[in-house]
Amino acid sequence: MSYSPSDSLPFPAAVTLDDVRGARKMLSGVARMTTMAHSHHLSQLVGSPVHLKCENLQRTGSFKLRGAYVRIAGLLPEERAAGVVAASAGNHAQGVALASSLLGVRSTVFMPVGAPLPKVAATRDYGAEVRLHGQVVDETLAAAQEHAERTGAVFIHPFDHPDVVAGQGTLGLEILEQCPEVRTILVGVGGGGLAAGIAVAVKAVRPDVKVIGVQAAGAAAYPPSLAAGRPVAIDTPATMADGIKVGRPGDVPFRLIADLVDEVRTVTEDQLASALLLCLERAKMVVEPAGASPVAALLGDPTGFEGPIVALLSGGNVDPLLMQRVLTHGMAAAGRYLSLRLRLTDRPGALATLLGVLSVADANVLDVGHVRTDPRLGLTEAEVELHLETKGPAHCAQLGAALRDAGYTVIDQKASGAA
C-alpha cells in the first residue's frame, strides 16, 4: 500500500538545510559517518543498484544519538544544570544517555517495566539513571513528563522537536555524499523525525531524489494523517518493529513530511521478518525490525522504485529473544520450514528408513513425533509428525514428492514455524 502526500499543503518549514548543516558541525567527532554497503542480492532482485546505509553500526546502535546530542547541546546553561529526562523502550533511551554523558548533563530515562534487559543495561552503562515505570510506553511517558514538571528537568522528545529533526537530517547529507548517483531513498517512519530530517537535507540539495517513508501496516499513522491534513492518532498500534511503533505523528515532522516526502508505504509483518532474515544472511548485518523496514519495502515491491536506491538500516538494537522469534517467523514466511504428517508400516527400522529418505533429499529434521497407539491407526501402522528445515518452497514440494515416491502416505503437508 502507498499514499502520496498532497502538493498543496502550505506548511512552513520548521527545519532548514542550514539547521542540518549546523547540526553536522555539532556532531563532528561524536557521530560516526556510517558505512554505505552495496547489496548484490537486492540489486539483482530489483534490477538496479541497491546500497545499504548502515546506521545500525552507529554509536549506541542507531541513528538516535544524532538528534539527542543536537537537542541537548542546544540547551541553555541553566537548562543543562537542571538535567534532562526521556521516556523510551530502547534506542532513544541509549541516545539520550550517551549524549548526556558526552555533554556532562545529568540524565534520567524512564523505561517500561518489561523493557528488554540488554537495552536497560546499555542505557545505564551509557550513564543514565534508569527508572522502570509502567507496562506500556504511554504510562512511561506520563511518568517522565511528571518528573520534568516536578524537577525542572528538560524533557527530550524522541522526534517532535526541530533540533532532533535537524540532527537526524545529517544522515541525508551523508547519503548524498556517499552515493551521489542515488535516485530513491527508503527510510523507516515512526513519529517521523528521521524521514523529515533526511527529506529537508536531500530535497534542498537534490530535489530530483525521491524520499519514500516506510511504515509497519499495523502502526501506520501517516497515511490517515496525510489524508486528513493533520496528525491523526491510531488506536493500539501493533507491530514487531518497536522502533517505528508510534500511534501519532509528531507535529514538527508531520509538516515537513507532508511537504517534502514523496510517498509513504506500508509493509507487513511477514515482509519485516523476511527482511531481517535477509539482512542477516545476505548482508551479514544485525538489524532490528524497524531498521529492516526499507528492505521489507523492496521485498514487497521489487520493481516499484527508481534506482540507484539507498535503503537506510536505521538501527540494530534487537533483543535476542525477539531476534529468535523474528528469524523463525522470517524463515517460515520464506518457506524454510515444513511440517509433515504421514503414515508408515510399524516395523523395526521403519523410522530410520524414513529419515534416510529425508537425508537423501537434503532436509534438516528439527523434531520428530512418533505415534504407535491410536484408535485411528491400523494394527501395523504408525503415524509420524516431522518438522523440517528446508531451502524454500520448491524444496518443500520436492520433499513431498520424494516421500510419496518412496511409498509413504502423506496425510498433511504445510509450511510452518520451527518446532
Side-chain angles (χ1 to χ4, degrees):
M1 296 176 60
S2 65
Y3 178 83
S4 299
S6 169
D7 293 329
S8 62
L9 295 173
F11 292 128
V15 182
T16 67
L17 177 61
D18 285 343
D19 294 327
V20 177
R21 285 174 171 162
R24 191 174 192 188
K25 291 179 181 178
M26 196 177 295
L27 287 167
S28 178
V30 175
R32 300 172 181 143
M33 186 181 216
T34 47
T35 301
M36 181 78 73
H38 175 73
S39 172
H40 179 71
H41 178 76
L42 286 172
S43 298
Q44 284 191 317
L45 176 69
V46 307
S48 62
V50 176
H51 305 277
L52 304 176
K53 174 60 171 170
C54 303
E55 192 66 3
N56 58 312
L57 303 180
Q58 184 57 260
R59 297 175 72 178
T60 75
S62 87
F63 70 97
K64 288 289 189 178
L65 172 65
R66 297 173 184 261
Y69 188 92
V70 173
R71 172 75 173 102
I72 297 169
L75 296 178
L76 299 172
E78 57 269 27
E79 292 175 318
R80 290 195 188 195
V84 299
V85 61
S88 169
N91 290 344
H92 181 57
Q94 294 173 64
V96 168
L98 179 55
S100 299
S101 294
L102 293 172
L103 291 164
V105 176
R106 184 177 69 257
S107 64
T108 304
V109 176
F110 285 78
M111 303 182 77
V113 173
L117 293 179
K119 295 185 178 182
V120 174
T123 303
R124 286 195 175 115
D125 288 345
Y126 287 128
E129 177 189 347
V130 175
R131 298 188 184 183
L132 301 178
H133 184 93
Q135 299 298 322
V136 295
V137 174
D138 285 345
E139 295 174 356
T140 308
L141 178 62
Q145 291 173 327
E146 188 277 331
H147 175 87
E149 294 170 2
R150 178 169 45 83
T151 65
V154 179
F155 179 71
I156 306 299
H157 199 283
F159 52 81
D160 204 8
H161 192 280
D163 289 348
V164 173
V165 172
Q168 321 302 28
T170 58
L171 268 164
L173 297 179
E174 291 183 15
I175 289 171
L176 293 181
E177 291 173 9
Q178 292 174 301
C179 186
E181 69 276 16
V182 64
R183 299 293 297 173
T184 301
I185 298 172
L186 297 173
V187 54
V189 178
L194 177 61
I198 288 175
V200 167
V202 169
K203 291 296 186 177
V205 179
R206 288 277 307 280
D208 59 303
V209 174
K210 289 187 176 181
V211 178
I212 297 180
V214 183
Q215 291 207 290
Y222 265 90
S225 297
L226 291 167
R230 58 181 173 78
V232 174
I234 59 172
D235 295 330
T236 59
T239 175
M240 71 175 77
D242 287 344
I244 52 175
K245 185 180 176 182
V246 177
R248 182 188 184 278
D251 293 328
V252 172
F254 175 78
R255 295 182 178 189
L256 296 165
I257 286 175
D259 267 347
L260 300 173
V261 170
D262 295 276
E263 189 179 354
V264 176
R265 296 197 174 203
T266 62
V267 293
T268 67
E269 297 297 285
D270 280 353
Q271 288 165 349
L272 285 168
S274 296
L276 189 148
L277 180 63
L278 185 148
C279 287
L280 186 64
E281 288 191 327
R282 305 306 295 260
K284 315 308 177 190
M285 288 286 170
V286 175
V287 183
E288 60 193 271
S293 57
V295 176
L298 289 173
L299 296 180
D301 186 9
T303 61
F305 308 97
E306 182 182 1
I309 299 163
V310 171
L312 174 59
L313 308 182
S314 59
N317 291 319
V318 57
D319 177 48
L321 295 177
L322 175 62
M323 171 72 89
Q324 183 179 19
R325 293 197 300 271
V326 171
L327 289 179
T328 297
H329 187 81
M331 291 181 75
R336 299 272 295 277
Y337 289 124
L338 178 65
S339 290
L340 287 169
R341 192 159 55 89
L342 49 84
R343 290 186 182 174
L344 47 73
T345 302
D346 187 16
R347 63 172 183 267
L351 182 57
T353 301
L354 168 62
L355 296 177
V357 172
L358 295 172
S359 177
V360 170
D362 206 18
N364 183 27
V365 179
L366 300 174
D367 187 55
V368 178
H370 191 198
V371 178
R372 304 174 70 181
T373 56
D374 189 291
R376 297 177 294 114
L377 300 174
L379 289 176
T380 61
E381 287 184 322
E383 190 169 284
V384 176
E385 183 172 352
L386 298 161
H387 296 279
L388 311 173
E389 182 182 353
T390 72
K391 299 175 182 178
H395 191 207
C396 290
Q398 292 169 9
L399 287 169
L403 289 169
R404 292 183 182 92
D405 289 346
Y408 294 101
T409 302
V410 179
I411 302 169
D412 190 27
Q413 175 178 333
K414 59 184 178 181
S416 72

